[in-house]
Amino acid sequence: QVHLVESGGGVVQPGGSLRLSCAASGFTFSSSAMHWVRQAPGKGLEWVAHMRSDGSKELYADSVKGRFTISRDNSKNTLYLQTNSLRPEDTAVYYCAKDLWGFGAFDIWGQGTMVTVSS
Amino acid sequence: EVVLTQSPGTVSLSPGERATLSCRASQSVRARHLAWYQQKPGQAPRLLIYDASSRATGIADRFSGSGSGTDFTLTISRLEPEDFAVYYCQQFDGARYTFGQGTKLQIK
């Protein structure tokens, strides 16, 4: 059974940092590009970051470029998102999602982890 | 950046009716890189359609996608009670992924 499980969310002050994790199972993680997508409370979906299966390429939304870093450990089947210099507008549920290769779509999603940036 | 505009913002229909949701892009999108998702309250999104018209695994055949260029449509032929949700279109332009703002499909 294909599974993505996020963790690491919480409440953090503006300017703080959090490291999110996404544990994958049920598919060949090392062959799959992965993404982070977020959703602010009551709002729509916003793509955040992408990493190729071998970690050779990263893409970021302009809103997080220079502050967030996506990474992965294929030996642990785990995807990460290091979030620095957090702002109140980064408050959201953060989902990890598996890339549907060749189609630019997200075919498997985790249940998300909540990040709240507040003083 | 490709901006996706979905219409209507909210639509009220009854079970058994047909739903037609629109997604318009600010510039031409490769059909191969156009997808649709369904999201219910408190749940993660679920992929319905990719490649503009291909149903994802396990998706009922009452869901269909069509379109090309800048205009894409998601059609639900006969609404079931479980179909009332928010629907998002999404595209990839080679450098960025963007979503539409969503269409809320509610029971009339």
Side-chain angles (χ1 to χ4, degrees):
Chain A
Q1 196 166 357
V2 178
H3 243 89
L4 294 172
V5 179
E6 301 92 338
S7 60
V11 180
V12 61
Q13 292 188 337
S17 300
L18 279 176
R19 189 196 199 199
L20 309 183
S21 299
C22 170
S25 60
F27 65 98
T28 308
F29 180 76
S30 60
S31 298
S32 301
M34 297 293 295
H35 303 264
W36 288 98
V37 177
R38 68 184 181 183
Q39 186 170 35
K43 302 297 184 182
L45 300 168
E46 179 188 18
W47 169 77
V48 172
H50 155 99
M51 175 164 270
R52 277 187 182 170
S53 59
D54 61 1
S56 61
K57 184 173 181 177
E58 306 159 36
L59 295 173
Y60 294 95
D62 289 344
S63 59
V64 306
K65 200 174 294 184
R67 300 188 299 122
F68 290 11
T69 302
I70 188 172
S71 62
R72 62 193 295 158
D73 185 338
N74 285 345
S75 69
K76 295 182 178 179
N77 288 348
T78 303
L79 180 74
Y80 303 100
L81 185 69
Q82 178 67 43
T83 66
N84 297 331
S85 302
L86 283 162
R87 306 166 180 168
E89 55 264 36
D90 295 318
T91 294
V93 175
Y94 284 72
Y95 297 101
C96 68
K98 175 184 165 294
D99 184 84
L100 180 61
W101 188 84
F103 294 99
F106 316 114
D107 61 342
I108 305 296
W109 296 67
Q111 281 306 113
T113 187
M114 183 71 202
V115 172
T116 302
V117 184
S118 173
S119 54
Chain B
E1 174 180 306
V2 177
V3 176
L4 299 178
T5 302
Q6 293 185 239
S7 61
T10 303
V11 58
S12 300
L13 294 168
S14 300
E17 290 193 294
R18 181 185 187 91
T20 303
L21 282 57
S22 173
C23 176
R24 178 160 290 179
S26 61
Q27 56 190 276
S28 187
V29 171
R30 290 182 65 189
R32 184 177 181 84
H33 291 158
L34 193 287
W36 289 91
Y37 302 83
Q38 177 193 67
Q39 187 178 32
K40 297 179 181 179
Q43 296 185 16
R46 177 174 69 147
L47 177 65
L48 297 176
I49 300 287
Y50 65 95
D51 193 19
S53 60
S54 298
R55 273 188 299 276
T57 303
I59 301 303
D61 61 6
R62 64 181 181 275
F63 291 92
S64 63
S66 62
S68 64
T70 60
D71 289 294
F72 297 88
T73 301
L74 174 69
T75 301
I76 311 172
S77 58
R78 294 172 311 279
L79 285 165
E80 296 287 342
E82 61 267 28
D83 298 336
F84 292 92
V86 179
Y87 293 84
Y88 295 94
C89 57
Q90 172 257 320
Q91 69 82 39
F92 174 53
D93 65 7
R96 290 184 184 86
Y97 301 77
T98 55
F99 290 89
Q101 83 280 16
T103 289
K104 183 177 182 179
L105 176 56
Q106 62 184 24
I107 298 178
K108 188 173 182 179

